[in-house]
Amino acid sequence: MSYSVNISVEAPIENQIQEITYDGTEIYQPPLTLSESLTKYAQKIDFSKTSDIDFKKEPGEAIEDNKSDSDSKDAFQSSLWPWDSARNKLRNAFQEVCVLADVLAIAKDKRYMVLDPVQQEPIETKPMVQIYARKKALAGAASVLLTGAERLKTSQNEAARNRTVPDFHIELLRLRQNWRLKKVSNTIIGDLSYRTAGSKYTQTGTFEVTKAEDDDKTNSPPSSPIPGGATTAKTNSALRVSIPSELQGVAYIEVLCQKDQEDLCSVNVNLLGSGPPASNPDMHWQQKLEAAQNVLFCKELFNQLAKEAVQLQAPIPHMVVGNQIMATVFPGIQLIIGLCHSTVGDKKQQNNNSSKTDHDHVLEHSLHQLLREVHHKNTHHPFPHPATGPLGPSKKRMLAGPMAADRYELLEMTKSETLLEQIIKQAQHFFMRLRTEYVLDTIAKEVKDPLISSHWNTLNSPTQSCVKINISTHGYDALCRTPLVIHVGEKSLKCICRDGKVMHMSYEPQELRDLIFCHINQHQILAVQALAKTMGWQFLANSNHLGTGAVEPLGNASSCLLASPTGDRIIAVRCEPQTGIQVCVAHSPRSDFFPSRLVTERKWEHLGGQFRDVRLEKMEGRNFLHKMELLMASLTSSS
Amino acid sequence: MGTPGTAIDSLNAALKCNIIPNQEYLLQGSVLDQYVEVLLHRLRGLCDNVDSGPESFHDHELCFTLRATNPGAPMVLPLRVRRALDVPDAAWQLRYVGQQELGDKNRPTVVRSSIDMACSSTIVEFLTELGCRVDFEYIARGYMFRKGRMKITVSKIFKMGSMTSKPGEGVEAISQSYLVELSVLAPSGQDAIAEDMRIFAEQLRPLVQLEKIDYKRLGNLP
């Protein structure tokens, strides 16, 4: 059983403050007497509101309403008799009740007054008006239905006509599958920037997707039959993308490598892209968006390169002029990177340019690759191990603390190669490779006697490749072979010689040429020695750097001395890069002896005689070694 | 060039500029074993760079406490040492995690101060010499994801087996569920990230409820 507890709400016992004197004492109002408070509450009763609902609410409301007024009411009603308002209201009520009682008494007798229901006057109905009204209403409804049907019919007809044309929403779905879209109020906005892929380029790549208007559709068929059937299908796309004007057209990064400054002016002509971009409505949205994205990418790439070109401290400063960056790769060789942004209209103009043939597609591709690598690095941070580690710092950086890395190591970690530096290195390597190839090819063409074959490794990096060179003589390759390995770097060559010596060379091609010639000579001498061994000849002496004879412009002459098996014949071979090969033969003892004043006896002839030149060019034999073989054979047999 | 004072100066300057990420914004939740695949699938859809599959981790954590001896105010300083078992050459990590501030209802995440540094394996001996005692240890194994600056780890907690066995062997799972944590390390005052975290947690909502967990209240549970 539940019973409610009465909660009494009382006014605070403290009386209201009437006045505060200057010395701070508070003078309180005397509390109301019982009759005074009864009068006060009675005044608050509003007799005009007597319905049940109001009555329930009243105590709360009335107190609230009147609280503020009560003081003022007290003020001016205090002069009146306190029960005056209550009396007036009661009197009014009494009067009304008396009047009501009188009326009821009279009506009850039914002699003087009768209470009758008041008849409503019937509305006059005119049938014709009703019919007209109904007819009008029906006609309105019919017209609504008819227009609806008409609209359905036209839309169905249109659908039937354009059955081959994809629906706008299906197109939108396809667009959504490949591109980022979002709806902003009533428009569909897409984003073609690479920002989600890690780009930090500030230019936005927003485009707007709209429904292709009908008038465009009707306009397009007359124009489309000229290009061909393929384009008609494209123009009928129900979807239209509008791309900001700065992203319209076609752009690419042009990379040129120039030997001298002669081509400069022709390149300057190539600067284009100031004309108003003409949008091509015939393009399909996919191609249009891809082109725009490419434009954005090229712009970012060029922007980055230009920024780096200005910041980099190069011995020969890089130049950034308009849409071009010029960097010196080697003395006399420039790398020119240009941003070509053209609208479709100028295409013919571009094709006329002859300098287009110099465009280096490989370096352009590398540039694209480099920027994409940067993008990839921006998004693919390594995960920390252990897992509670902070995201961001690389593993190397994390290990820097425990491994007590010094200032230098930490600074090294912060360094990273800029795109421009990397592309310059690639260009340098490209030139080094080209020069090495050229040197090797020309030497192989010039020098017939030892055969020079070069094998380029197929596995290489953009800044490093390797070539293996074999020097051998035709028919004697089993006898002696001089292998060389050349590592082609960015600015230097490293040659690993047959004996394991490592030679470093600069980018000047003459150095490599000299080295190869030096090795050709060495090869000949070594091959003769090897041949002598097989022929049973003795190998007396050998010098790779002979100090005698005329001074060579490059390198030194090398030589060797060979003795026949019986020791009566000696062959001397001298190889010089410049003059070629000299072969001399000495006989001891000489077959004929004439005593002279100095040499009186024949025995002295055993000491060795004078060397006589062999005219190699008159000898039979395919090559030097063959000739030497024949020579040795002839000298051996005669003994 | 540099006097010894400059290191301290630069550290102070860094502190003043408020660039040191020393606040951890954290949301936690758990998911039952049988639904973890679904959660991982969802995370693969939401997070960055999951084309190569989620990154797994396998860590061993030792929790040390250093008790101050002054009788007036008994102070307990917790220190965590963590190492990756699956990446042997990774640095160890020493971490201090401060008291968490739950904040009022308007704050979407727990915020606690967190200072971590990489260290070598001798940290355990060092801490023992300092007078720290091992409070508890566990092994966490699972996957981590990244979404912008947020890191999401889904890990299973294992009790260490007998002390003789090597870590990673003879372990038993503590519960039938995975611990899911969403955390960001940021310099103090970057409360905007907490809002991002709330939105992200919202996207995982039916699978896992990432919330501000009040450990004190959990302690009162029977």
Side-chain angles (χ1 to χ4, degrees):
Chain A
M1 193 178 142
S2 66
Y3 55 91
S4 58
V5 180
N6 289 328
I7 297 170
S8 56
V9 180
E10 290 177 6
I13 301 168
E14 276 183 23
N15 296 316
Q16 277 183 316
I17 298 166
Q18 194 175 26
E19 192 186 351
I20 300 174
T21 55
Y22 291 120
D23 60 348
T25 50
E26 294 167 338
I27 298 169
Y28 296 101
Q29 272 186 349
L32 295 174
T33 59
L34 221 62
S35 66
E36 272 173 340
S37 56
L38 176 66
T39 331
K40 192 179 162 191
Y41 290 129
Q43 275 165 4
K44 287 179 184 171
I45 299 168
D46 189 357
F47 289 95
S48 57
K49 288 183 185 172
T50 47
S51 72
D52 283 350
I53 306 152
D54 283 354
F55 192 73
K56 274 177 191 168
K57 282 181 187 171
E58 207 158 36
E61 272 180 14
I63 288 163
E64 270 175 31
D65 290 345
N66 295 344
K67 233 173 209 170
S68 54
D69 311 353
S70 57
D71 289 352
S72 58
K73 270 185 186 170
D74 279 347
F76 75 84
Q77 277 190 353
S78 56
S79 61
L80 291 173
W81 182 57
W83 287 97
D84 198 37
S85 67
R87 190 204 61 181
N88 288 342
K89 279 165 186 167
L90 282 173
R91 204 161 136 188
N92 287 343
F94 176 67
Q95 273 179 356
E96 279 168 23
V97 168
C98 285
V99 169
L100 185 64
D102 290 346
V103 168
L104 285 176
I106 294 164
K108 205 183 167 188
D109 279 353
K110 292 183 182 176
R111 213 185 297 168
Y112 310 105
M113 201 165 95
V114 178
L115 294 179
D116 269 343
V118 182
Q119 272 274 313
Q120 287 283 331
E121 200 172 325
I123 303 158
E124 201 179 346
T125 55
K126 293 178 180 168
M128 279 319 285
V129 174
Q130 236 176 355
I131 283 168
Y132 276 126
R134 273 183 197 162
K135 209 176 169 184
K136 201 176 171 188
L138 280 174
S143 74
V144 167
L145 285 174
L146 278 174
T147 48
E150 193 65 31
R151 214 176 288 167
L152 272 176
K153 217 185 273 176
T154 49
S155 72
Q156 210 154 27
N157 281 348
E158 199 178 335
R161 239 188 319 126
N162 304 335
R163 192 149 291 167
T164 52
V165 179
D167 183 34
F168 171 74
H169 291 98
I170 288 172
E171 289 254 321
L172 194 63
L173 184 73
R174 283 207 196 113
L175 186 71
R176 178 78 183 79
Q177 279 166 353
N178 292 317
W179 301 91
R180 287 162 59 81
L181 293 179
K182 66 179 171 187
K183 195 160 181 252
V184 179
S185 67
N186 258 344
T187 51
I188 303 168
I189 301 286
D191 186 13
L192 51 77
S193 72
Y194 279 96
R195 214 159 296 166
T196 47
S199 162
K200 284 174 181 165
Y201 191 45
T202 45
Q203 188 173 336
T204 55
T206 50
F207 62 92
E208 196 186 335
V209 182
T210 48
K211 202 171 177 176
E213 293 92 28
D214 286 342
D215 52 3
D216 284 329
K217 273 185 190 166
T218 49
N219 284 349
S220 57
S223 64
S224 54
I226 308 154
T231 46
T232 52
K234 279 178 190 171
T235 49
N236 281 344
S237 167
L239 204 147
R240 172 149 311 170
V241 289
S242 40
I243 289 160
S245 57
E246 66 265 23
L247 293 182
Q248 278 172 0
V250 179
Y252 64 98
I253 297 284
E254 191 183 43
V255 186
L256 296 171
C257 293
Q258 289 181 338
K259 280 259 158 55
D260 278 313
Q261 308 221 325
E262 63 207 6
D263 292 356
L264 259 180
C265 49
S266 71
V267 177
N268 278 336
V269 174
N270 209 15
L271 286 173
L272 26 84
S274 52
S279 64
N280 186 2
D282 291 346
M283 252 201 304
H284 190 249
W285 48 263
Q286 179 70 22
Q287 290 154 343
K288 215 167 159 182
L289 288 177
E290 277 170 9
Q293 197 170 35
N294 187 45
V295 171
L296 190 68
F297 187 81
C298 287
K299 278 190 163 184
E300 179 181 359
L301 183 54
F302 188 81
N303 196 13
Q304 178 72 24
L305 288 171
K307 218 187 290 168
E308 287 167 5
V310 173
Q311 283 170 356
L312 272 184
Q313 303 286 330
I316 301 170
H318 310 304
M319 282 199 292
V320 183
V321 182
N323 273 3
Q324 263 193 0
I325 301 166
M326 202 183 290
T328 307
V329 177
F330 286 124
I333 294 177
Q334 270 101 31
L335 176 74
I336 295 176
I337 301 169
L339 171 67
C340 294
H341 184 192
S342 64
T343 52
V344 187
D346 328 330
K347 225 171 191 173
K348 288 165 203 158
Q349 195 190 341
Q350 268 182 35
N351 293 341
N352 294 339
N353 261 320
S354 56
S355 66
K356 202 101 300 157
T357 49
D358 299 338
H359 174 59
D360 194 327
H361 293 279
V362 176
L363 287 181
E364 186 199 357
H365 180 255
S366 317
L367 272 176
H368 281 244
Q369 217 171 16
L370 287 172
L371 184 60
R372 287 191 198 269
E373 217 167 282
V374 170
H375 285 178
H376 185 265
K377 261 186 206 154
N378 280 346
T379 48
H380 289 70
H381 295 290
F383 277 102
H385 284 281
T388 46
L391 276 173
S394 65
K395 194 175 154 194
K396 209 169 148 193
R397 179 77 190 278
M398 291 295 289
L399 279 170
M403 305 305 280
D406 53 17
R407 188 181 154 83
Y408 172 75
E409 281 173 65
L410 284 171
L411 279 176
E412 279 296 302
M413 276 178 213
T414 59
K415 274 182 195 158
S416 60
E417 266 189 335
T418 57
L419 294 186
L420 190 64
E421 278 176 317
Q422 291 181 64
I423 201 70
I424 287 176
K425 277 190 178 167
Q426 292 194 11
Q428 280 171 340
H429 174 72
F430 170 71
F431 273 102
M432 286 304 288
R433 213 173 53 219
L434 217 63
R435 283 176 170 180
T436 311
E437 268 170 30
Y438 178 75
V439 166
L440 290 177
D441 286 356
T442 46
I443 290 177
K445 231 187 285 173
E446 278 171 28
V447 181
K448 288 277 154 55
D449 190 351
L451 298 174
I452 296 165
S453 50
S454 43
H455 302 278
W456 287 89
N457 275 4
T458 46
L459 289 176
N460 53 11
S461 81
T463 53
Q464 218 179 26
S465 51
C466 181
V467 57
K468 191 168 187 251
I469 299 165
N470 256 323
I471 305 174
S472 63
T473 310
H474 178 62
Y476 296 88
D477 33 5
L479 204 66
C480 183
R481 189 185 291 172
T482 305
L484 286 174
V485 175
I486 298 176
H487 291 276
V488 183
E490 293 137 17
K491 269 180 145 172
S492 63
L493 294 176
K494 190 169 86 174
C495 179
I496 298 159
C497 303
R498 176 199 164 102
D499 49 359
K501 254 187 245 165
V502 178
M503 318 277 280
H504 290 277
M505 286 167 284
S506 77
Y507 52 82
E508 289 295 342
Q510 189 62 39
E511 292 181 20
L512 177 65
R513 205 179 148 81
D514 294 351
L515 184 87
I516 302 283
F517 271 111
C518 200
H519 273 93
I520 288 172
N521 285 329
Q522 277 188 14
H523 168 79
Q524 297 290 44
I525 294 295
L526 289 173
V528 167
Q529 287 171 18
L531 183 68
K533 224 177 271 174
T534 57
M535 301 285 288
W537 282 54
Q538 275 176 356
F539 161 61
L540 295 179
N542 163 38
S543 171
N544 275 336
H545 300 286
L546 201 60
T548 60
V551 178
E552 288 287 319
L554 53 100
N556 289 318
S558 46
S559 72
C560 70
L561 269 178
L562 305 167
S564 67
T566 52
D568 58 340
R569 306 280 199 285
I570 292 175
I571 297 177
V573 184
R574 178 190 165 98
C575 234
E576 290 170 30
Q578 207 68 13
T579 50
I581 300 164
Q582 272 181 301
V583 180
C584 302
V585 179
H587 290 240
S588 64
R590 269 191 275 184
S591 46
D592 46 352
F593 175 70
F594 305 102
S596 67
R597 273 200 296 159
L598 280 173
V599 186
T600 49
E601 281 181 60
R602 195 187 173 95
K603 65 174 180 186
W604 299 113
E605 291 294 330
H606 284 282
L607 286 175
Q610 279 180 324
F611 280 98
R612 283 175 295 173
D613 270 356
V614 177
R615 290 166 74 181
L616 274 181
E617 66 274 12
K618 297 280 181 188
M619 276 188 70
E620 253 183 78
R622 288 191 303 272
N623 50 35
F624 168 69
L625 274 192
H626 194 206
K627 285 174 184 177
M628 285 306 291
E629 190 183 357
L630 291 178
L631 181 68
M632 280 189 233
S634 67
L635 290 177
T636 313
S637 62
S638 70
S639 62
Chain B
M1 265 172 58
T3 55
T6 52
I8 292 291
D9 289 346
S10 54
L11 181 64
N12 284 337
L15 274 174
K16 217 171 274 174
C17 295
N18 204 13
I19 55 168
I20 297 179
N22 55 3
Q23 296 287 315
E24 188 183 31
Y25 294 80
L26 181 73
L27 284 176
Q28 289 173 312
S30 72
V31 63
L32 284 173
D33 281 352
Q34 63 257 42
Y35 303 118
V36 76
E37 284 301 324
V38 188
L39 176 69
L40 290 178
H41 197 262
R42 179 102 183 98
L43 281 169
R44 286 187 67 162
L46 289 172
C47 294
D48 295 343
N49 307 326
V50 277
D51 36 1
S52 54
E55 179 91 359
S56 63
F57 69 92
H58 187 184
D59 292 349
H60 174 209
E61 181 159 321
L62 288 155
C63 206
F64 287 87
T65 47
L66 182 64
R67 283 167 210 284
T69 45
N70 56 332
M75 196 185 70
V76 177
L77 180 72
L79 287 170
R80 292 153 185 268
V81 173
R82 198 161 170 136
R83 62 165 167 152
L85 293 173
D86 51 347
V87 185
D89 55 342
W92 290 42
Q93 190 197 33
L94 174 64
R95 187 164 184 241
Y96 164 76
V97 176
Q99 275 297 329
Q100 54 177 6
E101 299 166 29
L102 280 170
D104 54 357
K105 267 196 175 162
N106 297 328
R107 184 182 268 177
T109 66
V110 165
V111 181
R112 59 187 191 187
S113 66
S114 161
I115 299 164
D116 66 284
M117 67 220 69
C119 50
S120 63
S121 57
T122 49
I123 186 69
V124 175
E125 283 109 87
F126 178 73
L127 288 178
T128 318
E129 288 296 317
L130 267 184
C132 298
R133 292 288 162 262
V134 176
D135 214 359
F136 58 87
E137 58 182 324
Y138 66 88
I139 280 177
R141 191 162 61 193
Y143 301 96
M144 53 184 151
F145 296 86
R146 200 174 73 81
K147 169 83 178 165
R149 294 162 67 193
M150 289 181 274
K151 182 169 66 184
I152 302 100
T153 57
V154 180
S155 55
K156 187 116 181 117
I157 308 294
F158 295 95
K159 216 185 284 180
M160 293 296 290
S162 57
M163 293 309 278
T164 52
S165 68
K166 274 194 272 178
E169 288 171 14
V171 293
E172 54 175 312
I174 274 177
S175 68
Q176 301 289 307
S177 59
Y178 275 78
L179 173 68
V180 184
E181 284 183 307
L182 170 62
S183 70
V184 173
L185 266 179
S188 56
Q190 295 200 351
D191 289 338
I193 189 70
E195 191 55 29
D196 291 350
M197 289 170 70
R198 190 189 62 78
I199 291 164
F200 187 82
E202 224 24 69
Q203 293 180 334
L204 294 174
R205 197 32 92 87
L207 290 168
V208 57
Q209 296 230 323
L210 292 176
E211 286 169 341
K212 301 196 284 183
I213 307 287
D214 188 357
Y215 294 112
K216 286 178 209 141
R217 195 174 288 177
L218 283 183
N220 295 339
L221 288 180

